[in-house]
Every structure is written in structure tokens, then in C-alpha cells.
Amino acid sequence: MFRLQGSKTLAVDLTGDAVKAKNGSMVAYDGRMTFKKMTGGGEGLRGMVTRRLTGEQMAVMEVSGQGTCYFADRASEINLVALHGDKLYVEASNLLATDSGLRTGTTFTGLRGGASGNGLFTTTVEGTGQAAITSEGEAVLLRVTPQYPLMVDPGAYIAHQGNLRQQLQSGVNFRTLMGEGSGEAFQMRFEGDGLVYVQPSERNTVGGDV
């Protein structure tokens, strides 16, 4: 259902089913399509209220019909993620599209959200199907094992999946290690068994020079 046209355009083939995508991300389509804006990321009033409280803003539209839709977001690189009953944790700004059967929500992720500027919650995608996430530059997929925890700059973090524990460590980051940082700094620590998606570009963050 999901396929890439190059690295920056997502093509979704529809045969009477539907796809949920970031509002305004469709760049073209062929066939017969219907479009519906979904309140609160498709979760109704409760989801809308939750997102206002958490700061994880995500305007979503549902596209259904017969044909092919094409999606893109500011020429960002697109990465396809296959879910098999598991859960994906992703920054709302990096979630481009999901199968309509996948459930989206929000989850508390501790103080890391305070560093990234996206609230204390992260968007979750759960179920069986495909999701498309974006990155500034080609994303790097890093493996975390119990023997090898992973440190990530919050500004470069996109998403993670698997049995991972995450925590925010304050007072140090990659720049302060080199003596180039200033102010309060943070880095994310992942432990357990899973995958972390990192982009080769740092978004603007709050909480210091991260």
C-alpha cells in the first residue's frame, strides 16, 4: 500500500480503503478520492483535548477511495516503518502518514519532551500496518541492545520502537563534551532492546543549547 517515489514522496495505492496523513501533505492524486479532516488526530474530542494539554499538535486528514495519492512534507526524506502489532513512538512533526487501521495516541515520556519543546508527551502509532515518518536528511536507524545503551541528541531524535526505556540526562550533551556548549544541556539515553531513528539535522529545541 505504501511505496516511495524517490526518497521524498510517498505514494499510497488505495483500493477502497483509507490512509491518514498530515493535513496539507498531499501533493497529487489520481482516481476517485474523498477527503475528511479529522479532529484531534483522528481521536475525536478526547484526543483533541489531550493534544492541547500535551503540546503534541497533529492536524490529520483521512483520504479514501480508488487510485493513488502522493504525499510530501517540505522536501523531507521519508522513511517507511512496518508495524506488526507493536508500537512506534514518534515526534508529531515527523509523522507523515499511517494506515487507517493503525491507532494513534499520546503517551507520557518523562522530561525528555521538555527538552525537545514538544511537551511531555510523544505521539504513538500502534497495530499492524505501515507508517511513514519524515527526517531532515537521510535517517539513521540505530540498534539498542541490553549491552549497548544509546545516547541521542534530543534535536536529532525522530522515533523509536521496541522494548526500550528512555530517560533525559541533564547537564551534558555532545557540544558540552567538546567544551562548546552553553547553558543547560540534555541528552536522551535509551536502554533495552529496540530501534531508534535519528536524523542528521537538529531541530530547534528549548531547555538550553542541545
Side-chain angles (χ1 to χ4, degrees):
M1 182 178 178
F2 283 21
R3 54 188 172 86
L4 294 180
Q5 295 281 102
S7 63
K8 299 179 181 180
T9 303
L10 171 69
V12 181
D13 299 315
L14 298 174
T15 55
D17 43 355
V19 62
K20 292 184 290 187
K22 180 182 292 187
N23 203 34
S25 63
M26 189 182 66
V27 294
Y29 75 90
D30 59 49
R32 299 173 62 89
M33 301 288 172
T34 59
F35 308 91
K36 180 175 67 174
K37 185 175 181 180
M38 304 180 71
T39 303
E43 299 167 334
L45 181 59
R46 181 174 180 274
M48 181 175 66
V49 172
T50 299
R51 293 190 185 280
R52 284 180 177 174
L53 291 174
T54 64
E56 276 286 281
Q57 300 299 324
M58 182 179 156
V60 175
M61 63 179 176
E62 182 180 73
V63 184
S64 59
Q66 300 271 353
T68 302
C69 277
Y70 300 89
F71 301 93
D73 186 17
R74 294 172 297 178
S76 298
E77 298 285 331
I78 300 174
N79 312 270
L80 299 184
V81 181
L83 297 176
H84 304 281
D86 50 333
K87 183 181 292 186
L88 174 72
Y89 299 81
V90 58
E91 295 294 334
S93 59
N94 294 100
L95 182 59
L96 177 64
T98 67
D99 283 346
S100 61
L102 292 175
R103 302 180 300 278
T104 57
T106 53
T107 187
F108 182 72
T109 55
L111 295 178
R112 180 207 55 77
S116 68
N118 287 338
L120 298 178
F121 288 70
T122 290
T123 295
T124 59
V125 182
E126 187 174 9
T128 298
Q130 287 184 294
I133 60 178
T134 61
S135 59
E136 295 182 24
E138 185 176 352
V140 178
L141 185 57
L142 302 175
R143 182 81 191 184
V144 181
T145 66
Q147 295 79 21
Y148 294 96
L150 178 70
M151 304 294 185
V152 176
D153 189 306
Y157 168 80
I158 301 172
H160 73 272
Q161 62 186 132
N163 185 22
L164 292 176
R165 300 178 304 278
Q166 65 178 109
Q167 66 184 66
L168 185 73
Q169 295 186 341
S170 62
V172 63
N173 74 346
F174 301 113
R175 289 195 182 95
T176 57
L177 288 174
M178 301 300 294
E180 298 178 356
S182 61
E184 189 176 9
F186 304 88
Q187 64 181 213
M188 299 166 66
R189 179 184 176 93
F190 290 92
E191 297 178 334
D193 186 11
L195 301 170
V196 179
Y197 296 80
V198 176
Q199 64 183 5
S201 176
E202 294 176 294
R203 67 175 66 83
N204 292 329
T205 61
V206 299
D209 182 13
V210 291

